[in-house]
Amino acid sequence: MLRFLTAGESHGPCLTVIIEGIPAGMPFDAEAINERLRRRQGGYGRGGRMKIERDQIEVLSGVRYGHTMGGPITLRIENRDWVNWQERMSAAPDAGENSEPVTRVRPGHADLTGALKYARDDVREVIERASSRETAARVAVGGVCQQLLAQYGIAIHSHTLMVGGVGYAAGAEPDPAAADDAFWARVAASEMYCADEALTQTMIARILEGKRNGDTCGGVFEVVATGVPIGLGSYSQLDRRLSARIGQALLSIPSAKGVEIGGGFGLAALPGSQVHDVSRYDATPEGRGWYHLTNHAGGIEGGISNGEPIVARVAVKPIPSLAHPLPAADVRSGENVDVTRYERSDVCVVPAAGVVGQRDG
Amino acid sequence: MLRFLTAGESHGPCLTVIIEGIPAGMPFDAEAINERLRRRQGGYGRGGRMKIERDQIEVLSGVRYGHTMGGPITLRIENRDWVNWQERMSAAPDAGENSEPVTRVRPGHADLTGALKYARDDVREVIERASSRETAARVAVGGVCQQLLAQYGIAIHSHTLMVGGVGYAAGAEPDPAAADDAFWARVAASEMYCADEALTQTMIARILEGKRNGDTCGGVFEVVATGVPIGLGSYSQLDRRLSARIGQALLSIPSAKGVEIGGGFGLAALPGSQVHDVSRYDATPEGRGWYHLTNHAGGIEGGISNGEPIVARVAVKPIPSLAHPLPAADVRSGENVDVTRYERSDVCVVPAAGVVGQRDG
Amino acid sequence: MLRFLTAGESHGPCLTVIIEGIPAGMPFDAEAINERLRRRQGGYGRGGRMKIERDQIEVLSGVRYGHTMGGPITLRIENRDWVNWQERMSAAPDAGENSEPVTRVRPGHADLTGALKYARDDVREVIERASSRETAARVAVGGVCQQLLAQYGIAIHSHTLMVGGVGYAAGAEPDPAAADDAFWARVAASEMYCADEALTQTMIARILEGKRNGDTCGGVFEVVATGVPIGLGSYSQLDRRLSARIGQALLSIPSAKGVEIGGGFGLAALPGSQVHDVSRYDATPEGRGWYHLTNHAGGIEGGISNGEPIVARVAVKPIPSLAHPLPAADVRSGENVDVTRYERSDVCVVPAAGVVGQRDG
Amino acid sequence: MLRFLTAGESHGPCLTVIIEGIPAGMPFDAEAINERLRRRQGGYGRGGRMKIERDQIEVLSGVRYGHTMGGPITLRIENRDWVNWQERMSAAPDAGENSEPVTRVRPGHADLTGALKYARDDVREVIERASSRETAARVAVGGVCQQLLAQYGIAIHSHTLMVGGVGYAAGAEPDPAAADDAFWARVAASEMYCADEALTQTMIARILEGKRNGDTCGGVFEVVATGVPIGLGSYSQLDRRLSARIGQALLSIPSAKGVEIGGGFGLAALPGSQVHDVSRYDATPEGRGWYHLTNHAGGIEGGISNGEPIVARVAVKPIPSLAHPLPAADVRSGENVDVTRYERSDVCVVPAAGVVGQRDG
């Protein structure tokens, strides 16, 4: 029903997204989407570029007088750094004559795979699209979707569980079912998007330690959707399962290497008697109807939402752009390249400002 | 390019699958697919039904004289138990007059979510399709795909890493890159599809211990694809990323609650300098061209296969059909149901006989 | 929302179709679908095979006690002639040793294009799937969809307008808006599915005349959907337009070469003042709300249904299997083939027993 | 493989299109696309707006140094009239306070259906997207595709066969197989995109006559694709048939009411012996291999391209914006509206500047 395409290079004039299938008459709040973009750019340990850019959407179609009209919505996010890249990223046929190609392929990036798949010997033509800057466009899409979901009382939040090995102790993770507005306010106030202030400071210390070594961190974040009605997704056909769709969305984040629904890998080691969530029916007049005593399933049973909060966790690998770079190779000659330092020195992933956001690269 | 739909109920006359998009002229080996179906039905701790059924495909279209013709391939897997269910699962309008409905909704199953989504007050109409028997049809599809991939030198294997908390010690897991034919032969010979014979016995003991307590186990299995060329998948649009597609496929397995690519969650705690895989070029005449010194990425960089084995792990929750059942509820009245014992007493998941296979439920 | 795949060869064991997305709880009437299949096989001028086959569906999944369960529906149509083709169409690898290949490519068939696309030098492997027998599976799908649409008061009928140049005089075509049950009963009673009895006889005479010359006829039929609510389809994105979807469906009929919506090609020659349908609002208590004074648009404005009957016409080319065959060529040698007579001598298309049905070939 | 979404309103800031799936390394000629946009805006009988706008693409992603990079291509077409519409089409929530809604629903437009489907009582929010200005974005997409097809020697042209009932005499239509560069040059030079100069003048006279009566014309145009290899499309599954895909594309043009492939409706009245195209094989060294003696099939047999030119014709209804308007109704009250004159007075469709172009509305 709902489709979208994102487009744009990291140093091109802009990112663009077209979203198709949003109903007409939905209140549209551009500022709320800009707030999500700001959150994506926030967090501790931002590199230089994150300060240059202050992403904002420009609404180019689909919205009039503050509400949707039923047609496709076009959002544009200008790249403020474009002025410095107009020549190197020009679309004009004759602009590339004096261009110096990038031929070095770096570990942990799409450099090698993209150069070989698309037969590009100027790796810039790979890294510009493979860059996680693309996720700014996704955050904008996610912002529109959140406004649609809000009409049905569904809210989506995310917070950081671990960075570089520093995180909540086993068994001491916050209970998603108990996360209230105050909890999410603490998350929003934290430089690490972590509700625990002390843990936030330890995470920052961990990042600084990595930075001193010229190294980088990964982490784990959790996404929680509340207010989800019973009945989304289906076991009828495998690609309709809600778990499969969430898995696809979250593993499409460029640096994601793992996804868990509910108890995830932990459930695999427990006996069945401790895993499955007993359901009960509340028949009182103001009752909530069907509910579960626990939520190990993360809100999905049989590929269908069961009314409990949907809980998913994502593992993000460390940023591949190290200050003390890893050995690289030359895509044209195949020879090793002597690398002393990358241009940029971002040191940390701060995950998930929005549904699937990620920092620029 | 390639589409398929599976169909069929757990106790209906048959499972059926139509696969569309397989090229013409591909050698088609029905016996190799039957072998995969046997593997799915093997493993320690099978319940009664697994012995009744000896799944076999019947080829109803798309194949002639042992090769494909380019049209859709139809495979049918007969349910050998159908003779005992013809009345209870009849399609005829007047067959249900004396039928006794199932109204109990069990924890960990699709019973409640399916009954509410599809407005069924006879839960049998939910559990028949939500049953993991559906995965037999997927194994058949996977078997066809493996024959296509084999034409390009790509092989897919899987093995068990952990059952009920019993598994390889951290750091002692088998290296997928070193898994040779002998390794996979040991896997095939193990009742637990585990290459380590001693570990196989400990896993069995763990299952028996659970069984004595009327309890069940989950587990973790690993899928390894070798011979994959550089270039499958793309960062160009998020739904083209190979990681996203693998995540979708694996999290569509009914009991899957987690997926990892390569180092997965473990990578999130490591410094970047220990995570990213350095690439090298082998220019010797018989050289293998581009390769990587390590494979923490699990064969995917930038959403594109990088030539190394693709490695993914799946966490499977314990079987929800406990011998000492969990409390259930009545879907019509909402009241608790006093359950003493389920009809069947399967006690263990033996994962992945094929790409996404799972035991019957 | 709704997907289906058809499968099966013309002389294989059966046709199979899996339909996914039909809601649960819908009354399912197998006999009504069989009636549609009978209609497809009826009509004047049937060849020998149409008498052999008496198509019937077998329901293999998705239906219980006369209603749908929400899972995929599998329908199987047995090929009663299969017993005579078991060897020539066997899936077994060693069955083809003494097989005599078909190498002649006939005009007007998929013989040449299929043989070259799929690199088949036994043209039988092309004609078995390209055969219009596949449309029997579509008629079954259409029958299921009609039962779903009937829940919303939508009915779909079709009738023959012209055969071999013999048809209604210009301006004397029946008005679809005036077609009542009696009209459709006359259509059903006609050997040509034409409501006009005299015209039916002239059409039959035309077919017999062609038959005497060893020649064949094409024709034009009209599909009329009544009870369609305002609002199906959209101008929002081009592939959502209802006109585009109808065009796709109707031009997917093997022998279809033209499609018109409403006034079609005739509208192109008229002045705008005589074409566009003036809308009115009926505000009386039992009023029908919005309606139009005319229906030149065929029920679609702006790619959206407008509440009037949806009217489409399809042009079907003459059957390519002539009794006095056209010159053929040999797909292996490229040489002309001396053809004296085809095996079968079907002489007429009787269109549209169902949504998109067509006779066997 | 190839996806695109168009977006934008008729009087919004711009039209935008994102095209995904174009290979890397393809030469990209923006000027050639602008030429197609100019052709769309040309033709006799243009209204005022066509003179205001001089459409041009701005390339916002996917292209560097005159070639594609493999990522999504974003094209933007600025609406030069936007400066006059900034208030009436503003996205800002408070901009609509003094806005005067459009409540009149006009015959032949999407006004009524769109207003009811999307529950809009300001019809402007319908007509802005339903406007055929959207086809400018399609012409841009078509321009990109033509550059891709040109790499394989495939060319697509179109020309006008009839306007307002004035066109080629039956049997005197130009033979698409004989259309050479000189023919297409005459088409390009004609104000009506008609290769026949005398006919061009008669068509113009016909338009002027309509204009004097405050009336409008429709027409028929033909699309011809040459250089198409044997093998595109398939009979394997109905939605893969090339005829079905062409039907979908052409009937998605806002005013299209009919489509023919090859001989189309005319074939339905002919005997089979005069319809089917005999194939021959040219085995000489420079030979063209398989070809056909005639091309009644319009280049498609069995849903697959057969190597001959693909020929399709489209019937376009008259423009619904008459100078002497048809009776309208008020979407809020349901009452008839007394209309004396529409704002604009376009009088003619000049079809198909590109694959699916159409004039602005």
Side-chain angles (χ1 to χ4, degrees):
Chain A
M1 301 291 281
L2 196 148
R3 292 177 286 184
F4 67 92
L5 291 174
T6 72
E9 283 84 44
S10 185
H11 299 95
C14 61
L15 300 175
T16 310
V17 66
I18 297 178
I19 314 164
E20 206 265 337
I22 298 287
M26 181 187 90
F28 184 91
D29 183 349
E31 199 36 53
I33 295 173
N34 288 334
E35 174 55 34
R36 302 235 138 236
L37 290 171
R38 271 196 291 279
R39 188 180 187 237
R40 175 179 170 276
Q41 294 189 294
Y44 186 81
R46 293 288 133 191
R49 183 166 184 199
M50 283 296 196
K51 287 165 192 155
I52 296 173
E53 308 264 347
R54 173 63 62 107
D55 288 333
Q56 290 206 352
I57 57 162
E58 189 182 356
V59 183
L60 295 178
S61 78
V63 178
R64 186 178 181 228
Y65 298 165
H67 62 255
T68 57
M69 292 187 282
I73 298 170
T74 308
L75 305 179
R76 171 192 165 106
I77 304 172
E78 199 184 335
N79 281 336
R80 294 188 193 277
D81 206 19
W82 166 237
V83 62
N84 301 316
W85 286 82
Q86 291 192 60
E87 273 181 56
R88 273 174 293 176
M89 288 301 294
S90 170
D94 52 359
E97 281 171 17
N98 302 314
S99 166
E100 202 176 326
V102 175
T103 61
R104 189 189 55 201
V105 289
R106 302 159 301 166
H109 288 274
D111 297 12
L112 178 64
T113 55
L116 294 177
K117 179 187 180 87
Y118 290 112
R120 301 291 86 198
D121 66 356
D122 182 348
V123 181
R124 173 150 302 288
E125 303 196 352
V126 169
I127 62 186
E128 282 289 332
R129 178 63 189 162
S131 162
S132 55
R133 173 137 185 83
E134 185 261 344
T135 61
R138 302 193 200 184
V139 168
V141 176
V144 176
C145 293
Q146 282 173 318
Q147 298 185 22
L148 176 60
L149 293 173
Q151 300 286 324
Y152 302 95
I154 302 173
I156 299 179
H157 289 96
S158 65
H159 64 119
T160 308
L161 294 178
M162 187 266 272
V163 165
V166 172
Y168 291 101
E173 302 90 351
D175 177 8
D180 53 11
D181 288 352
F183 178 86
W184 297 117
R186 288 200 302 279
V187 168
S190 157
E191 272 189 295
M192 296 305 301
Y193 301 132
C194 172
D196 185 310
E197 176 54 23
L199 191 49
T200 294
Q201 295 309 321
T202 326
M203 287 174 175
I204 291 176
R206 175 69 190 81
I207 290 170
L208 287 173
E209 179 198 339
K211 197 168 191 173
R212 278 193 297 273
N213 302 331
D215 216 327
T216 58
C217 299
V220 174
F221 67 92
E222 186 171 75
V223 184
V224 180
T226 55
V228 181
I230 300 177
L232 303 188
S234 174
Y235 52 75
S236 169
Q237 196 67 203
L238 52 104
D239 57 1
R240 291 193 186 268
R241 287 184 177 259
L242 189 55
S243 33
R245 296 194 172 195
I246 290 174
Q248 178 190 36
L250 293 175
L251 275 170
S252 78
I253 301 175
S255 58
K257 300 303 279 187
V259 169
E260 293 183 315
I261 310 283
F265 278 83
L267 300 182
L270 291 175
S273 56
Q274 295 175 33
V275 162
H276 303 293
D277 306 306
V278 172
S279 58
R280 287 284 169 259
Y281 188 74
D282 178 357
T284 60
E286 301 83 22
R288 47 180 169 154
W290 288 100
Y291 67 100
H292 297 74
L293 300 182
T294 52
N295 188 22
H296 300 302
I300 303 176
E301 283 177 302
I304 300 175
S305 61
N306 72 359
E308 302 302 325
I310 290 178
V311 181
R313 272 176 306 285
V314 182
V316 180
K317 70 177 182 181
I319 298 203
S321 304
L322 283 70
H324 292 168
L326 293 163
D330 189 279
V331 76
R332 295 185 176 180
S333 67
E335 287 172 12
N336 295 353
V337 176
D338 199 21
V339 185
T340 52
R341 194 172 180 79
Y342 284 164
E343 288 155 32
R344 280 185 291 116
S345 56
D346 300 326
V347 290
C348 169
V349 169
V350 176
V355 179
V356 290
Q358 196 190 22
R359 54 179 288 293
D360 296 349
Chain B
M1 300 292 281
L2 196 148
R3 294 178 285 185
F4 66 92
L5 291 173
T6 73
E9 284 83 43
S10 185
H11 300 95
C14 60
L15 300 175
T16 311
V17 66
I18 298 177
I19 314 164
E20 205 264 337
I22 298 286
M26 183 188 89
F28 185 91
D29 182 350
E31 199 36 53
I33 296 174
N34 287 335
E35 174 54 35
R36 302 235 139 237
L37 290 170
R38 270 194 293 278
R39 187 180 187 238
R40 176 180 169 276
Q41 293 189 295
Y44 186 81
R46 292 289 135 189
R49 182 163 185 205
M50 283 295 195
K51 289 167 192 153
I52 296 173
E53 308 263 346
R54 173 64 62 106
D55 289 332
Q56 289 206 352
I57 57 163
E58 189 182 355
V59 183
L60 295 178
S61 77
V63 178
R64 186 178 181 230
Y65 299 165
H67 61 256
T68 57
M69 292 187 282
I73 297 170
T74 307
L75 305 180
R76 169 192 166 107
I77 304 172
E78 199 185 335
N79 280 336
R80 295 188 192 276
D81 206 18
W82 166 237
V83 63
N84 301 317
W85 287 81
Q86 291 191 62
E87 272 181 57
R88 274 174 292 174
M89 289 302 293
S90 170
D94 51 359
E97 282 170 18
N98 302 315
S99 166
E100 201 176 327
V102 175
T103 62
R104 187 189 56 200
V105 289
R106 302 159 300 165
H109 288 275
D111 298 11
L112 178 63
T113 55
L116 294 177
K117 179 187 180 88
Y118 289 112
R120 302 290 87 198
D121 65 357
D122 183 349
V123 183
R124 172 149 305 287
E125 303 197 352
V126 169
I127 62 185
E128 283 289 332
R129 178 64 189 158
S131 160
S132 55
R133 172 134 186 85
E134 185 261 344
T135 60
R138 300 193 201 184
V139 169
V141 177
V144 176
C145 293
Q146 282 173 316
Q147 297 185 22
L148 177 60
L149 293 173
Q151 300 287 322
Y152 302 95
I154 302 174
I156 298 179
H157 290 95
S158 65
H159 64 119
T160 308
L161 293 179
M162 187 266 273
V163 165
V166 172
Y168 291 100
E173 301 90 352
D175 177 7
D180 52 11
D181 287 352
F183 178 86
W184 296 118
R186 287 199 304 278
V187 168
S190 158
E191 272 190 297
M192 297 304 302
Y193 300 132
C194 173
D196 185 310
E197 176 54 25
L199 192 49
T200 294
Q201 295 309 321
T202 326
M203 287 174 175
I204 290 175
R206 175 70 190 80
I207 290 170
L208 287 174
E209 178 198 337
K211 197 169 192 172
R212 278 191 299 271
N213 301 331
D215 216 329
T216 57
C217 299
V220 175
F221 67 93
E222 186 171 75
V223 184
V224 180
T226 54
V228 181
I230 301 177
L232 303 188
S234 176
Y235 51 76
S236 169
Q237 196 68 202
L238 52 103
D239 57 3
R240 290 195 186 268
R241 286 185 177 259
L242 188 55
S243 33
R245 297 196 170 193
I246 289 174
Q248 178 190 34
L250 293 175
L251 275 169
S252 78
I253 300 176
S255 57
K257 300 303 278 189
V259 169
E260 294 182 315
I261 310 283
F265 278 83
L267 300 183
L270 291 176
S273 56
Q274 294 176 32
V275 162
H276 302 293
D277 306 307
V278 171
S279 57
R280 287 285 169 259
Y281 187 75
D282 178 357
T284 60
E286 300 82 23
R288 48 181 170 153
W290 288 100
Y291 66 100
H292 297 75
L293 300 181
T294 52
N295 188 22
H296 300 302
I300 304 177
E301 283 177 301
I304 299 175
S305 60
N306 72 359
E308 303 301 327
I310 289 179
V311 180
R313 272 177 305 286
V314 182
V316 179
K317 69 176 183 181
I319 298 204
S321 304
L322 283 67
H324 293 168
L326 293 163
D330 188 280
V331 78
R332 296 185 176 179
S333 67
E335 287 170 13
N336 294 354
V337 176
D338 200 20
V339 184
T340 52
R341 193 171 181 81
Y342 283 164
E343 289 154 32
R344 281 185 290 118
S345 56
D346 299 327
V347 289
C348 170
V349 169
V350 175
V355 179
V356 291
Q358 196 189 20
R359 54 179 287 295
D360 296 351
Chain C
M1 301 291 282
L2 196 148
R3 293 177 286 185
F4 67 92
L5 291 174
T6 72
E9 283 84 43
S10 185
H11 299 95
C14 60
L15 300 175
T16 310
V17 66
I18 297 178
I19 314 165
E20 206 264 337
I22 297 287
M26 182 187 91
F28 185 92
D29 182 351
E31 199 36 53
I33 296 172
N34 288 334
E35 174 55 35
R36 302 235 140 237
L37 290 170
R38 269 195 292 278
R39 187 181 188 237
R40 177 180 168 278
Q41 294 189 295
Y44 185 80
R46 292 290 133 189
R49 180 162 185 203
M50 283 295 197
K51 287 167 193 156
I52 296 174
E53 308 264 345
R54 171 63 64 109
D55 288 333
Q56 289 207 353
I57 58 162
E58 188 183 356
V59 183
L60 295 179
S61 78
V63 178
R64 187 179 181 228
Y65 299 165
H67 61 256
T68 58
M69 293 188 282
I73 297 170
T74 308
L75 305 179
R76 170 192 164 108
I77 303 171
E78 199 184 336
N79 280 336
R80 295 189 192 275
D81 206 19
W82 166 236
V83 63
N84 300 316
W85 287 80
Q86 290 192 63
E87 272 180 57
R88 273 173 293 174
M89 288 302 294
S90 169
D94 51 359
E97 281 170 17
N98 302 314
S99 166
E100 202 175 329
V102 175
T103 62
R104 186 189 56 201
V105 289
R106 302 161 300 166
H109 288 275
D111 297 12
L112 178 65
T113 56
L116 294 177
K117 179 187 181 87
Y118 290 112
R120 303 290 87 199
D121 66 356
D122 183 350
V123 182
R124 173 148 304 287
E125 303 197 353
V126 169
I127 62 186
E128 282 289 331
R129 178 64 188 162
S131 161
S132 55
R133 171 133 186 87
E134 187 261 344
T135 61
R138 301 192 200 186
V139 169
V141 176
V144 176
C145 294
Q146 282 173 319
Q147 298 185 21
L148 177 60
L149 293 173
Q151 299 287 322
Y152 302 95
I154 302 173
I156 299 179
H157 289 95
S158 65
H159 64 119
T160 306
L161 294 178
M162 185 266 273
V163 164
V166 171
Y168 290 101
E173 302 90 352
D175 177 7
D180 52 13
D181 287 352
F183 178 86
W184 297 118
R186 288 200 303 279
V187 168
S190 157
E191 272 191 295
M192 296 305 301
Y193 300 133
C194 173
D196 184 310
E197 176 54 24
L199 192 48
T200 294
Q201 295 310 319
T202 326
M203 288 175 175
I204 289 175
R206 174 69 190 80
I207 290 170
L208 287 174
E209 178 198 340
K211 199 168 187 170
R212 278 191 298 274
N213 302 330
D215 216 327
T216 58
C217 300
V220 175
F221 66 93
E222 185 172 74
V223 184
V224 180
T226 54
V228 181
I230 301 177
L232 302 188
S234 175
Y235 52 75
S236 169
Q237 196 68 203
L238 53 104
D239 56 3
R240 290 193 187 269
R241 286 183 177 260
L242 189 55
S243 33
R245 297 195 171 193
I246 288 174
Q248 179 190 35
L250 293 175
L251 274 170
S252 78
I253 301 175
S255 57
K257 301 304 278 188
V259 169
E260 293 183 315
I261 310 283
F265 278 84
L267 300 182
L270 292 175
S273 56
Q274 294 176 32
V275 162
H276 303 293
D277 306 307
V278 172
S279 58
R280 286 286 170 257
Y281 187 76
D282 177 356
T284 60
E286 301 82 21
R288 48 180 170 155
W290 288 100
Y291 67 100
H292 297 74
L293 300 182
T294 52
N295 188 23
H296 301 302
I300 303 176
E301 283 177 301
I304 300 175
S305 60
N306 71 0
E308 302 302 327
I310 290 178
V311 180
R313 272 177 306 285
V314 182
V316 180
K317 68 177 184 182
I319 297 201
S321 304
L322 282 68
H324 293 167
L326 294 163
D330 187 279
V331 77
R332 296 185 176 180
S333 67
E335 286 171 15
N336 295 353
V337 176
D338 199 20
V339 185
T340 51
R341 193 171 181 82
Y342 283 164
E343 290 155 30
R344 281 184 290 117
S345 55
D346 298 327
V347 290
C348 168
V349 169
V350 174
V355 180
V356 290
Q358 195 188 19
R359 56 179 286 295
D360 297 349
Chain D
M1 300 292 281
L2 196 149
R3 293 178 286 185
F4 67 92
L5 292 173
T6 72
E9 283 83 44
S10 185
H11 300 94
C14 60
L15 300 175
T16 311
V17 66
I18 297 178
I19 314 163
E20 206 264 338
I22 297 286
M26 182 187 91
F28 184 92
D29 182 350
E31 199 36 52
I33 296 173
N34 288 334
E35 174 55 35
R36 301 234 141 237
L37 291 170
R38 269 195 292 278
R39 188 181 188 236
R40 174 179 170 276
Q41 294 188 296
Y44 185 80
R46 293 290 134 188
R49 181 162 184 204
M50 284 293 196
K51 289 165 192 156
I52 296 173
E53 309 263 346
R54 173 63 62 106
D55 290 332
Q56 289 207 351
I57 57 162
E58 189 182 355
V59 183
L60 295 179
S61 78
V63 178
R64 188 178 180 229
Y65 299 165
H67 61 256
T68 57
M69 293 187 283
I73 297 170
T74 308
L75 305 180
R76 171 191 164 107
I77 304 172
E78 200 185 334
N79 280 336
R80 294 187 192 276
D81 206 19
W82 166 237
V83 64
N84 301 317
W85 287 81
Q86 291 192 58
E87 273 180 56
R88 273 173 292 174
M89 288 302 294
S90 170
D94 52 359
E97 282 170 18
N98 301 314
S99 167
E100 201 175 328
V102 175
T103 62
R104 187 188 55 201
V105 289
R106 302 160 299 167
H109 287 274
D111 297 12
L112 179 64
T113 56
L116 295 177
K117 179 188 179 88
Y118 290 112
R120 302 292 86 199
D121 67 355
D122 183 349
V123 182
R124 173 150 304 289
E125 304 196 352
V126 169
I127 61 184
E128 283 288 332
R129 179 63 190 161
S131 161
S132 55
R133 172 133 187 85
E134 186 261 345
T135 61
R138 301 192 200 186
V139 168
V141 177
V144 176
C145 294
Q146 282 173 317
Q147 298 185 22
L148 177 59
L149 293 173
Q151 299 288 321
Y152 302 96
I154 302 173
I156 299 179
H157 289 96
S158 64
H159 64 119
T160 307
L161 294 179
M162 186 266 272
V163 165
V166 172
Y168 291 99
E173 302 91 350
D175 176 7
D180 53 11
D181 287 352
F183 178 86
W184 297 118
R186 288 200 303 279
V187 168
S190 158
E191 272 191 295
M192 295 305 300
Y193 300 132
C194 173
D196 184 309
E197 177 54 25
L199 191 49
T200 294
Q201 295 310 320
T202 326
M203 287 175 176
I204 290 175
R206 174 68 190 81
I207 290 170
L208 287 173
E209 178 198 338
K211 199 168 190 171
R212 279 191 299 272
N213 302 331
D215 216 327
T216 58
C217 301
V220 174
F221 67 92
E222 185 172 74
V223 184
V224 180
T226 54
V228 181
I230 301 177
L232 303 188
S234 176
Y235 51 74
S236 168
Q237 197 67 204
L238 53 103
D239 57 3
R240 290 193 187 268
R241 287 184 177 260
L242 188 56
S243 34
R245 297 194 172 195
I246 289 174
Q248 178 189 36
L250 293 175
L251 275 170
S252 79
I253 300 176
S255 58
K257 301 304 278 188
V259 169
E260 293 183 316
I261 310 282
F265 278 83
L267 300 183
L270 292 176
S273 56
Q274 295 175 33
V275 163
H276 303 293
D277 306 306
V278 172
S279 58
R280 287 286 169 258
Y281 187 74
D282 177 356
T284 60
E286 301 82 24
R288 46 181 172 154
W290 288 100
Y291 66 100
H292 297 75
L293 300 182
T294 52
N295 187 23
H296 301 301
I300 303 177
E301 283 177 301
I304 300 175
S305 61
N306 72 0
E308 303 301 326
I310 289 179
V311 180
R313 273 176 306 285
V314 182
V316 179
K317 69 177 183 181
I319 297 201
S321 305
L322 283 67
H324 292 166
L326 294 163
D330 188 280
V331 77
R332 295 186 177 180
S333 67
E335 287 170 12
N336 295 353
V337 176
D338 199 20
V339 185
T340 52
R341 192 172 182 80
Y342 283 164
E343 290 155 32
R344 280 184 291 117
S345 54
D346 299 326
V347 290
C348 169
V349 170
V350 174
V355 178
V356 290
Q358 195 190 22
R359 54 180 288 295
D360 296 349

